[in-house]
Amino acid sequence: MIKKHYVNNKDFLAAMIEYREAVAKAKEEGRRKPQVSNYIAECIMKIAEKYSHRPENLAYSFRDEMIGDAIENCIMYIDNFDPAKS
């Protein structure tokens, strides 16, 4: 049984590498960078939601805002992803 907040690391890494290559190709061709795929966005949402259930975050009264901020920051800085460091 697959858990609700489970993210397959190998699939997520492959999707991130593919997105990074698409961004580089778009940059070379002078096009706008592509949108983040639904799969990547879903994984980021699952990670943020799971992280919000950690004991140090349970007492946080604005948990939904914390999750939203985490998702926003991940999307804003997604171009900084380096597969060599993952």
Side-chain angles (χ1 to χ4, degrees):
M1 183 167 97
I2 297 177
K3 295 181 181 178
K4 181 179 176 185
H5 300 293
Y6 179 76
V7 173
N8 184 313
N9 289 337
K10 288 182 182 180
D11 293 343
F12 184 54
L13 177 60
M16 289 295 294
I17 291 171
E18 184 180 313
Y19 175 74
R20 182 180 166 99
E21 290 170 355
V23 168
K25 184 177 178 182
K27 194 177 210 181
E28 281 178 8
E29 296 172 356
R31 295 183 291 123
R32 292 176 44 186
K33 74 178 187 177
Q35 274 188 323
V36 174
S37 71
N38 287 340
Y39 178 74
I40 291 173
E42 183 180 311
C43 287
I44 290 171
M45 288 173 55
K46 286 180 180 181
I47 292 166
E49 177 69 31
K50 181 70 174 176
Y51 188 79
S52 75
H53 291 286
R54 292 180 59 122
E56 63 268 16
N57 298 326
L58 287 177
Y60 191 70
S61 59
F62 299 103
R63 208 173 101 232
D64 289 338
E65 287 183 29
M66 179 182 68
I67 293 169
D69 287 345
I71 293 168
E72 180 183 14
N73 286 332
C74 287
I75 298 298
M76 281 176 41
Y77 297 107
I78 199 165
D79 294 339
N80 294 340
F81 174 74
D82 184 2
K85 293 182 180 180
S86 69

